[in-house]
């Protein structure tokens, strides 16, 4: 069945297709005659905490998850849907023509069961990106994979290691969503929230009229496990690395609802890029990563044989997951799936210190859109400017060639990672302080904070802008932008 959002978006796409026809990019020339890379949307099985789990995936015929390619190449891909339900893949962080962006009803219709779709566009920048379903709740079922575009940061003397984070529940996502809404209704009526079932919804704590200076709400959902490359710390992936060697660690947070602190333990990491785009290096052993964000961290492995856990600690709790880097023949000790103390909530401390290597050219904004992030636990409704998205919500207007600023003001008690499709943006202000921050595609807006991003309107079409917390997105924290 189509999700509520996909159904509503189909009507919007139909009404805008003719309007945008004149704004579409010119046909590409010089297309390579090489065969496209084949990706299959499929069902697969993994083991979680000793129990079998049926999940989804995006793999090539040889079993490779996702795609690894080179900057300057063309993205020539054919996606085949082997499921018995519709699906569609979004190329998170890339800037394709809008019809190839992979959002059902905005970019085009979903791929039917047994069907396929072809993609062909240039790759104009490199970095760590990812792909995931934008159809219903399929992302929660692990339909996600790496999308790596190699460039000059990929040195021949360094080893690439991918760490892909995910949250997992044995409870069907539709049931989780219904539980969240019912729990919110219980809060609205004054009844006590139900105790969370394993892998189900977490009891809501926000009541109407609660002051904004109360403790932030974190982690709507109580998950059964947190995964690193599809495995828990009970049976972690152990990656062999060379003593004294160099490693480029690519961290991708493909979770539906969970943010983490990436902890390198005894290793000093050099953060060199966020969301694929280079930043002035920052040396740290711990870095925050919100939902949908990525970190590129360069590591130098000590010469002595040893095992180095790379952990991801759940925001606000003690739960953790991760992988083990094994240098030489060092023994690997068992790691607990919980730390001794809970981690803090993510902040904007690191964000305020990041500086883009290639910032936007200084320019006054031609257009500004203020987006109040709104919503409430009562009924579990999330919105933008107090409007939960429907097909009747008009798109935000912009015009080709403009410098556009988006002002995010979070009026809720929950953090919201905001993602813009089809464009990269630069963080240019936090709480009134202007600076030339990181270039990204997803920015965290914590409770009661103001974050401003700027981008150049250089990719005409109809584009999605939304909170990347899956159940917030499905509840209405979504809007579109249309070139006029």
């Amino acid at each position: 069945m189509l999700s509520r959002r996909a159904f509503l978006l189909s009507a919007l796409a139909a009404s805008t297709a003719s309007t945008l026809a004149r704004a579409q990019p010119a046909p590409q020339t010089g297309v390579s005659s090489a065969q496209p890379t084949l990706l299959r949307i499929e069902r697969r099985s993994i083991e979680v905490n000793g129990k079998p789990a049926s999940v989804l995936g995006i793999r090539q015929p040889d079993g490779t998850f996702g795609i690894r390619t080179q900057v300057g190449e063309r993205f020539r891909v054919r996606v085949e849907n082997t499921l018995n339900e519709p699906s569609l893949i979004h190329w998170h962080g890339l800037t394709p023509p809008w019809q190839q962006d992979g959002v059902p009803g905005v970019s085009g219709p979903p791929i039917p069961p047994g069907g396929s779709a072809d993609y062909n566009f240039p790759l104009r920048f490199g970095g760590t990106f990812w792909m995931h379903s934008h159809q219903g709740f399929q992302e929660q079922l692990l339909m996600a994979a790496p999308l790596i575009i190699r460039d000059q940061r990929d040195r021949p003397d360094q080893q690439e290691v991918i760490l892909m984070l995910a949250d997992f529940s044995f409870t069907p996502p539709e049931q989780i969503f219904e539980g969240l809404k019912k729990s919110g209704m219980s809060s609205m009526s004054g009844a006590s929230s139900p105790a969370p079932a394993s892998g189900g919804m977490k009891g809501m704590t926000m009541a109407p009229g609660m002051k904004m200076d109360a403790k932030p709400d974190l982690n709507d959902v109580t998950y059964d496990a947190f995964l690193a490359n599809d495995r828990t710390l009970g049976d972690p992936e152990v990656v062999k690395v060379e003593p004294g060697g160099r490693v480029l660690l690519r961290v991708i947070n493909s979770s539906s609802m969970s943010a983490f602190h990436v902890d390198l333990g005894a290793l000093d990491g050099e953060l060199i890029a966020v969301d694929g785009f280079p930043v002035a290096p920052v040396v740290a052993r711990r870095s925050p990563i919100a939902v949908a964000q990525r970190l590129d961290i360069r590591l130098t492995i000590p010469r002595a044989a040893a095992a180095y856990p790379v952990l991801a600690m759940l925001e606000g709790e003690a739960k953790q997951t991760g992988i083990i880097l094994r240098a030489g023949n060092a023994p690997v000790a068992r790691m607990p799936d919980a730390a001794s103390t809970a981690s803090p909530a993510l902040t904007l401390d690191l964000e305020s210190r990041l500086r883009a290597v290639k910032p936007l050219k200084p320019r006054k904004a031609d257009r500004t859109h203020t987006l109040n992030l709104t919503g409430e636990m009562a009924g579990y409704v999330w919105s933008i400017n107090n409007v939960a998205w429907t097909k009747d919500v008009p798109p935000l207007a912009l015009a080709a060639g403009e410098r556009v600023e988006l002002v995010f003001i979070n009026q809720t008690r929950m953090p919201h990672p905001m993602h813009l499709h089809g464009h990269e943006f630069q963080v240019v202000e936090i709480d009134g302080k202007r600076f030339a921050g990181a270039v990204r595609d997803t920015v965290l807006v914590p409770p009661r904070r103001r974050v401003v991003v700027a981008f150049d309107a250089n990719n005409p079409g109809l584009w999605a802008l939304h909170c990347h917390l899956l159940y917030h997105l499905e509840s209405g924290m979504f809007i579109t932008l249309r070139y006029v």
Side-chain angles (χ1 to χ4, degrees):
M1 295 179 63
L2 292 179
S3 71
R4 166 184 173 272
R5 187 179 77 256
F7 175 77
L8 295 172
L9 286 171
S10 63
L12 175 63
S15 68
T16 57
S18 59
T19 303
L20 288 166
R22 290 173 294 178
Q24 293 177 19
Q28 300 292 336
T29 59
V31 177
S32 169
S33 60
Q35 291 296 313
T37 299
L38 179 61
L39 289 176
R40 289 174 177 158
I41 300 171
E42 59 187 17
R43 186 164 289 278
R44 59 196 179 95
S45 296
I46 62 173
E47 184 177 285
V48 180
N49 294 332
K51 297 169 58 178
S54 178
V55 298
L56 304 177
I58 311 168
R59 295 192 287 195
Q60 298 183 36
D62 64 0
T64 299
F65 281 93
I67 288 177
R68 293 159 183 80
T69 184
Q70 297 284 338
V71 67
E73 299 288 332
R74 294 194 68 84
F75 189 77
R76 300 193 71 239
V77 174
R78 171 166 292 175
V79 177
E80 293 182 349
N81 182 10
T82 70
L83 305 178
N84 60 0
E85 60 182 295
S87 188
L88 197 62
I89 302 304
H90 167 55
W91 318 111
H92 187 114
L94 302 193
T95 56
W98 70 277
Q99 306 95 325
Q100 300 185 49
D101 188 46
V103 181
V106 172
S107 313
I111 304 172
S116 65
D118 292 313
Y119 303 84
N120 189 340
F121 55 88
L123 297 173
R124 62 183 184 85
F125 47 75
T128 301
F129 304 95
W130 63 301
M131 60 185 76
H132 62 86
S133 173
H134 236 292
Q135 177 76 24
F137 297 110
Q138 290 176 351
E139 181 187 314
Q140 179 70 89
L141 296 173
L142 306 189
M143 191 186 288
L147 203 174
I148 307 301
I149 306 173
R150 296 193 171 99
D151 58 12
Q152 69 279 359
R153 78 195 77 177
D154 298 280
R155 303 175 180 177
D157 65 339
Q158 75 183 5
Q159 177 181 351
E160 178 183 272
V161 176
I162 296 176
L163 169 55
M164 196 156 186
L165 305 170
D167 41 26
F168 173 82
S169 175
F170 285 105
T171 304
E174 295 82 2
Q175 185 176 336
I176 293 175
F177 189 47
E178 288 303 312
L180 288 167
K181 291 191 292 185
K182 290 179 180 178
S183 180
M185 292 303 293
S186 296
S187 295
M188 182 174 63
S189 65
S192 59
S193 299
S198 176
M201 71 286 184
K202 189 173 182 178
M204 296 304 167
T205 59
M206 183 177 181
M210 183 169 286
K211 295 180 180 180
M212 286 300 295
D213 58 357
K215 183 180 179 181
D217 270 327
L218 303 173
N219 304 319
D220 291 15
V221 180
T222 298
Y223 284 99
D224 293 310
F226 296 93
L227 308 179
N229 298 345
D230 281 348
R231 300 166 77 163
T232 67
L233 281 174
D235 179 30
E237 180 178 18
V238 178
V239 180
K240 186 174 179 59
V241 297
E242 291 297 323
R246 297 168 63 111
V247 169
L248 177 61
L249 177 67
R250 300 183 184 266
V251 187
I252 303 170
N253 188 359
S254 69
S255 297
S256 292
M257 296 291 289
S258 306
F260 299 91
H261 299 270
V262 176
D263 193 321
L264 304 176
L267 298 175
D268 287 321
E270 187 180 41
L271 178 64
I272 61 170
V274 294
D275 291 1
F277 295 95
V279 295
V282 176
V283 176
R285 292 189 175 184
R286 179 178 286 197
S287 300
I289 185 167
V291 170
Q293 291 184 335
R294 288 87 64 208
L295 304 173
D296 284 11
I297 304 173
R298 186 167 285 146
L299 304 172
T300 299
I301 306 300
R303 293 190 177 278
Y308 301 99
V310 176
L311 302 176
M313 305 173 65
L314 179 64
E315 174 188 33
E317 299 189 25
K319 299 173 183 177
Q320 60 186 13
T321 187
I323 60 175
I324 311 295
L325 304 180
R326 186 188 187 197
N329 295 317
V332 177
R334 183 179 180 86
M335 295 294 301
D337 60 6
S340 57
T341 58
S343 70
L346 265 62
T347 70
L348 295 176
D349 291 351
L350 176 62
E351 194 71 62
S352 66
R353 294 189 289 120
L354 295 178
R355 296 295 182 268
V357 170
K358 296 180 179 180
L360 294 179
K361 294 181 180 179
R363 176 180 170 186
K364 183 179 179 180
D366 301 295
R367 191 186 300 258
T368 300
H369 288 293
T370 298
L371 302 170
N372 294 290
L373 309 182
T374 49
E376 57 185 358
M377 294 297 189
Y380 203 73
V381 176
W382 301 99
S383 55
I384 294 177
N385 293 334
N386 291 306
V387 177
W389 194 87
T390 72
K391 64 180 179 63
D392 297 321
V393 177
L396 302 176
L398 67 162
E402 290 183 333
R403 171 67 57 83
V404 182
E405 290 196 356
L406 304 175
V407 181
F408 297 111
I409 302 174
N410 189 351
Q411 298 180 355
T412 78
R413 281 185 52 204
M414 297 204 68
H416 300 288
M418 301 303 296
H419 172 51
L420 173 62
H421 287 226
H423 306 76
E424 68 271 22
F425 55 65
Q426 184 173 11
V427 180
V428 296
E429 180 194 319
I430 294 178
D431 295 333
K433 181 181 179 181
R434 303 285 293 195
F435 64 104
V439 173
R440 288 187 171 277
D441 56 62
T442 306
V443 67
L444 180 67
V445 188
R448 296 169 287 149
R449 304 298 294 273
R450 169 189 163 108
V451 177
V452 181
V453 303
F455 69 95
D456 289 327
N458 56 12
N459 197 3
L462 177 67
W463 299 101
L465 170 64
H466 59 88
C467 175
H468 219 286
L469 299 181
L470 179 60
Y471 300 107
H472 292 192
L473 162 63
E474 286 290 334
S475 297
M477 193 172 277
F478 180 98
I479 201 166
T480 57
L481 294 89
R482 180 172 61 192
Y483 281 67
V484 296

